[in-house]
Amino acid sequence: MDERPVPGGIDVTTPNVARMYDYYLGGKDNYEADRAAAAEVLKSAPQAPALARENRAFLGRVVRYLARDAGVRQFLDVGAGLPTQGNVHEVARRETEDARVVYADNDPIVLTHGRALLGTTPGTVVVPGDLRDPSALLADPDLRAVLDLDEPVALLLISVLHCLDDEEDPWAAVAGFRDALPSGSHLAISHITAADHGAAATAGARVYRRANTGMTLRDRDAITRFFEGFDLVDPGVVRLTDWRPDSRTRNDLPTWYWCGVARKP
């Protein structure tokens, strides 16, 4: 496979979580180290590409629900990863033309590609930001130029919280966003678990320890804790494929993710 040109200052010798996810989704923004690490994951978790696609489908259903049914017009996608099909702004604007979207990530290659692909899209911006520092992210002037933080915001934490270990206290980070966002804001989360096939999930997590960020497997109770201070919307914290499925949703996949959506009262 031909390699894509490497942006200056980007390390392509260490597996990168965003690029591995891009590979699972069939994207082209990945390199040999990413593909080799992904191949190791696939030995113990051959469902990984299908689960990545279902995770992306969950994001699409969430954004449609928030824009169409919950009246949300502002979206903050933290740990957004590389642009692919069905990006948040594309889904939201099919429901409401005035949707505004901020993509935030701390990965230089995500920022480089995101700005190249989305930089001229009105009402959309890509900003540097770390999940562990909500205050700094929410103070970013480019974010503030797009989002009005006095109005409800949908905070999307899709497949990102498991990149922080318990010592980094991701629950405190989520609480920091919760306390800064106004009433009527929503929180959407998907998170890796080991509910089914725990040995395979653990083997996959070991591969990610060699990547640019690790992967922490959490049970349903630990993931539900992220929603403290929010009111869960139906159907609560469930498997990816059980959150408001549509005709395209698969129901034959193991429980490798828990997910949910909630509203700040």
Side-chain angles (χ1 to χ4, degrees):
M1 182 183 296
D2 293 335
E3 293 283 14
R4 295 173 63 82
V6 180
I10 300 297
D11 177 13
V12 298
T13 63
T14 300
N16 177 285
V17 170
R19 299 194 306 252
M20 290 171 68
Y21 189 67
D22 175 73
Y23 174 75
Y24 296 142
L25 290 172
K28 297 179 180 179
D29 291 312
N30 51 78
Y31 298 88
E32 181 56 36
D34 311 310
R35 296 189 287 272
E40 285 192 58
V41 172
L42 291 173
K43 291 177 183 177
S44 56
Q47 307 94 338
L51 287 160
R53 290 191 293 271
E54 285 302 320
N55 186 56
R56 195 72 185 174
F58 163 71
L59 172 61
R61 296 197 302 275
V62 166
V63 173
R64 282 193 295 273
Y65 161 76
L66 293 171
R68 180 183 60 213
D69 301 327
V72 176
R73 297 293 178 265
Q74 304 187 111
F75 297 82
L76 173 56
D77 188 355
V78 180
L82 291 161
T84 184
Q85 294 181 352
N87 295 300
V88 172
H89 70 282
E90 295 169 330
V91 177
R93 286 180 188 155
R94 284 196 286 268
E95 304 297 333
T96 175
E97 293 182 356
D98 59 345
R100 303 187 300 282
V101 180
V102 172
Y103 298 99
D105 210 293
N106 64 357
D107 185 332
I109 200 165
V110 169
L111 297 173
T112 299
H113 283 282
R115 286 167 173 160
L117 293 172
L118 306 176
T120 60
T121 305
T124 300
V125 68
V126 180
V127 302
D130 196 309
L131 172 61
R132 290 162 289 201
D133 194 348
S135 297
L137 173 54
L138 294 174
D140 184 283
D142 291 329
L143 178 149
R144 292 285 189 140
V146 172
L147 302 183
D148 178 355
L149 298 185
D150 291 325
E151 297 294 329
V153 175
L155 173 63
L156 308 175
L157 301 178
I158 306 301
S159 203
V160 65
L161 286 165
H162 48 244
C163 295
L164 304 187
D165 60 33
D166 288 355
E167 288 70 27
E168 294 175 286
D169 200 355
W171 296 276
V174 175
F177 283 107
R178 178 199 66 209
D179 294 345
L181 296 177
S183 174
S185 293
H186 285 70
L187 169 66
I189 290 173
S190 68
H191 193 300
I192 290 285
T193 188
D196 290 349
H197 308 291
T202 301
R206 282 198 295 269
V207 176
Y208 280 93
R209 293 192 192 109
R210 304 201 312 271
N212 65 319
T213 185
M215 181 172 291
T216 301
L217 305 173
R218 296 188 173 96
D219 62 22
R220 186 174 183 273
D221 288 343
I223 295 166
T224 301
R225 281 179 54 203
F226 288 116
F227 293 103
E228 289 181 358
F230 292 87
D231 295 332
L232 281 162
V233 303
D234 289 337
V237 178
V238 295
R239 299 166 69 243
L240 277 180
T241 51
D242 290 336
W243 200 90
R244 305 189 180 211
D246 56 30
S247 60
R248 296 165 293 182
T249 304
R250 292 182 58 172
N251 58 11
D252 61 339
L253 296 174
T255 305
W256 290 76
Y257 275 88
W258 292 111
C259 66
V261 177
R263 180 183 185 277
K264 180 175 177 179

